[in-house]
Amino acid sequence: MSDPFDFDLFVIGGGSGGVRAGRIAVSEHGAKVALAEESRMGGTCVIRGCVPKKLMIYAASHPAAAAEARGYGWPEAQVGRFDWPAFRGKLHAELDRLEEIYERGFLVAGGTLFKQRARIVDPHMVELADGRRVSARQILVATGGRPALPDIPGAEFGLISDDLFDLETLPRRVLVVGGGFIACEFATIFHGLGCETVMIHRGDKVLRGFDDEMRVRVGYQLEGIGIDLRLGVNATRLERRGEGVRVRFDDGRTEDFDAVMFATGRNPNTEGLGLEEAGVKLGRRGEVIVDRWSQTQIPSIYAVGDVTDRVNLTPVAIREGHAFADTVFGAQPRFLDHAVVASAVYTRPNELGTVGLTEEQAAERGPVEVYAAHFSGMRDKFAGSTSRVAMKLIVCQTTLRVLGVHIFAPEAGEMIQLAAIAIGMGATKADFDRTVAVHPTLAEEIVTLRHPERRHAGPQADTVAQAAQA
Ligand code: NDP
């Protein structure tokens, strides 16, 4: 009997999650796979997110590297002028190369690519922008997210992170709005590239959701390197002023900037995809509701990555896509455990690396001990930098398991990746203690923390204590 479907799998979205799912389904499990991408293969991470952002962080790090070199006996070390057009050209050449790798990898594996928008018509049918209809046994939605602009007059005069990689010239004076990953990283980039940088955040600390102490440290560092960080402030109106933008703030001030960048979060990209019409349930923010197998309540439609608004990180989307392909096409059912996912915020000079529970989250669950170290790293101190490293282990007093690790240090992203293995394995404080230090490093502090800096008795004990005082 002939197959009633054109394809076994139709993937909508050629970003990290969609490409991984499609490639594994076709190359490892022999499925017949098609993928539609309306923009560029590689998606947010490769084309307008993690990759160009990290390269810009490297570019922005060089003035500080020159300052450090002067501290190490190179009195003439200077970076001189930053050639933005030259850097931007090289950046785009690199992104083109990566896009080509993504596209070729999928095609060589045996996938069929439609470089156009696709929309779901029914649980087994998609319609392409050119009007063609294609049927598939399974459909995977992997359309990611898109930046959300605040609902204020003139918001359209602001830039989003996607726009920055294409700027003709760098702004002399820039305003960054927001206090999340993107705001902290881009304020660091602008400042490092020589722009006068103002950052506003409506909250009292940047990086909501991270460990409170580390949030304060990141804020101090942003200020310390010369960013004008204003907390508890928001923008209420933007107006075009010649080539620049005039911003009115809710503290009554009005100021002019050459550019304003909104880093005020991202929304799942589900508009106009035909999902609800096909019976797929969406959440309050428009996210596709899925179970742990990434399956929607329409059995033939699945979704992975930022469009599901679970943990919005590239490696998570990749794992979800891979698990989906193995489960549905490889008869190897598995799903991703989102509980222990490490992440890093690439600020400078210190990055923030984090895995597991924050001190606040852990203290809400039970009795915990907090082991901490705060110090000037040898390398920074010698160079004359006042930057300070902070490391913290959150340990369950009952099981002695390490519930969370938070590192604020140069290359903390690299360190936390390795700490995440230990946390995922359920390592105890004794396992950390048994590990012999690598000396002299910053990371050795994490295995030499002897005494808890403080303890939290846990929520029940706190309630009893409060009741006793009342
Ligand atoms: P986040 O959700 O991390 O932060 C959004 C920020 O904008 C918050 O500080 C929020 O404030 C603020 N905000 C939201 N709405 C408004 C508003 N109307 N007016 C003023 N401020 C507002 O989003 P990002 O855009 O920084 O990042 C998007 C996603 O990208 C994240 O989920 C992250 O996972 C991912 N990402 C990861 C990176 C990494 O791994 N290094 C790097 C960059 C992005 P409040 O806290 O008060 O809500």
Side-chain angles (χ1 to χ4, degrees), residues 53 179-182 185 201-202 208 234 263-265 312-313 344:
K53 179 276 307 284
F181 278 89
I182 297 183
E185 292 179 345
H201 171 47
R202 62 184 179 182
R208 185 156 58 85
N234 212 346
T264 44
N312 297 334
L313 297 169

Side-chain angles (χ1 to χ4, degrees), residues 50 53 148-151 177-185 200-203 205-208 215 233-235 262-266 306 311-313 343-346:
C50 320
K53 179 276 307 284
L149 292 183
D151 187 17
V177 184
F181 278 89
I182 297 183
C184 292
E185 292 179 345
I200 57 166
H201 171 47
R202 62 184 179 182
K205 293 185 208 72
V206 296
L207 293 174
R208 185 156 58 85
R215 296 171 68 191
V233 178
N234 212 346
F262 287 113
T264 44
R266 295 174 65 87
D306 288 8
V311 176
N312 297 334
L313 297 169
S343 68
V345 187
Y346 298 104

